[in-house]
């Protein structure tokens, strides 16, 4: 049975003297969320990174269970019906979702749990967990964003176009989130995230 744990409050409780917190890292595709996240995990191994579930095909080098849990659309839809996701969204033709139980357990055990997710999912988390801390990563410019997506050279022309189109709308939403950080110089952006989390 699904266990739903109360994590709306950051106040210490008897059960969890040091309650954790949900951290949402969002921003357009290609802005560098994954890169920032990897570096944060290297520097702060105490952070818990929530591995998402997706229907997208693995890219070369991606490992099931490490980058994502790669599953079929029908299995994903089944998990949605079973209420297994804390949030989920369709992005560029694929589904992505955050496993509910693992994340809530980690927060309850006092961890800072980081979700690296797109805008719609980030909005869902903000609505369900007002105490979550949300960080929006901005590109220095749209041109730079395009060259980063192209530089990664792992998406088709069509996928690149879809990501760029969506990015323009996503950037407009930056102000909805608690903190905005421009990922121009990587080290500066990392220090901005560190100051936000541990400040
Ligand atoms: N809502 C939601 N978005 C996710 C989740 N996991 C990843 N994403 C987002 O889905 C988008 C596409 O991810 P991906 O296909 O890996 O491409 P990339 O992040 O552009 O390299 C990115 O903005 C991710 O942050 C999730 O569990 N839920
Ligand atoms: N500060 C930065 N300056 C230059 N390139 C960057 C920076 N941050 C990330 N990149 C590059 O941009 C591309 C997209 O980054 P990625 O982390 O995959 O973005 P996202 O996870 O937001 O889609 C990668 O090739 C990455 O190496």
């Amino acid at each position: 049975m699904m266990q739903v744990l109360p994590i709306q409050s950051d106040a210490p409780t008897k059960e969890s003297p040091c309650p954790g917190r949900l951290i949402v890292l969002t921003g357009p595709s290609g802005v560098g969320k994954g890169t920032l996240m990897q570096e944060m995990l290297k520097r702060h191994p105490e952070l818990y990174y929530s591995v998402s579930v997706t229907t997208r095909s693995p890219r070369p080098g991606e490992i099931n269970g490490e980058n994502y849990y790669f599953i079929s659309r029908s299995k994903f839809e089944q998990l949605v019906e079973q209420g297994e996701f804390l949030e989920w969204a369709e992005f560029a033709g694929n589904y992505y979702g955050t496993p509910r139980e693992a994340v809530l357990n980690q927060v309850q055990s006092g961890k800072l749990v980081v979700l690296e997710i797109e805008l719609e999912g980030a909005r869902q988390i903000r609505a369900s967990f007002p105490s979550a801390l949300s960080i929006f990563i901005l590109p220095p410019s749209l041109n730079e964003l395009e060259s980063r997506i192209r530089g990664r050279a792992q998406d088709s022309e069509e996928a690149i176009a879809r990501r760029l189109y969506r990015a323009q709308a996503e950037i407009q939403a930056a102000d909805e989130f608690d903190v905005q950080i421009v990922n121009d110089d990587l080290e500066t952006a990392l220090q901005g995230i560190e100051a936000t989390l541990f400040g």
Side-chain angles (χ1 to χ4, degrees):
M1 206 186 68
M2 188 82 59
Q3 203 185 0
V4 181
L5 300 166
I7 59 163
Q8 297 286 336
S9 162
D10 290 323
T13 63
K14 260 190 210 149
E15 295 75 28
S16 179
C18 177
R21 195 170 190 195
L22 268 182
I23 312 292
V24 176
L25 198 64
T26 192
S29 175
V31 75
K33 300 185 298 298
T35 308
L36 290 164
M37 192 61 234
Q38 273 181 6
E39 197 49 42
M40 282 298 291
L41 288 172
K42 266 194 230 155
R43 294 184 187 193
H44 305 282
E46 74 277 16
L47 295 173
Y48 177 87
Y49 171 67
S50 163
V51 177
S52 294
V53 180
T54 186
T55 61
R56 162 163 89 56
S57 308
R59 292 175 180 151
E62 283 187 328
I63 297 166
N64 190 35
E66 209 170 282
N67 304 93
Y68 284 105
Y69 296 102
F70 297 98
I71 65 169
S72 67
R73 284 182 82 86
S74 59
K75 179 72 186 163
F76 194 100
E77 283 160 3
Q78 192 189 326
L79 294 177
V80 169
E81 270 181 30
Q82 291 169 353
E84 297 282 350
F85 294 120
L86 207 56
E87 62 71 38
W88 67 275
E90 189 161 10
F91 179 92
N94 291 298
Y95 292 135
Y96 296 83
T98 300
R100 176 186 291 276
E101 201 170 345
V103 165
L104 294 186
N105 285 341
Q106 291 295 327
V107 173
Q108 188 68 7
S109 73
K111 287 265 167 75
L112 284 184
V113 177
V114 189
L115 312 182
E116 190 240 286
I117 61 180
E118 54 66 65
L119 179 64
E120 289 309 321
R123 284 177 166 150
Q124 290 173 44
I125 294 292
R126 229 189 35 216
S128 327
F129 302 100
S131 65
L133 175 66
S134 56
I135 303 175
F136 194 100
I137 308 296
L138 285 160
S141 67
L142 273 180
N143 278 344
E144 173 62 20
L145 183 66
E146 178 165 1
S147 46
R148 285 186 193 171
I149 294 175
R150 288 190 185 283
R152 200 165 53 185
Q154 280 174 329
D155 299 300
S156 64
E157 264 312 305
E158 193 206 345
I160 290 171
R162 278 195 284 187
R163 279 170 158 72
L164 275 176
Y165 179 75
R166 184 157 176 155
Q168 297 183 38
E170 287 184 336
I171 288 168
Q172 312 280 323
D175 288 349
E176 293 175 22
F177 297 91
D178 296 323
V179 178
Q180 294 77 33
I181 290 173
V182 178
N183 181 22
D184 188 352
D185 172 61
L186 190 74
E187 183 56 37
T188 308
L190 281 165
Q191 285 173 13
I193 295 174
E194 285 176 325
T196 305
L197 296 194
F198 310 113

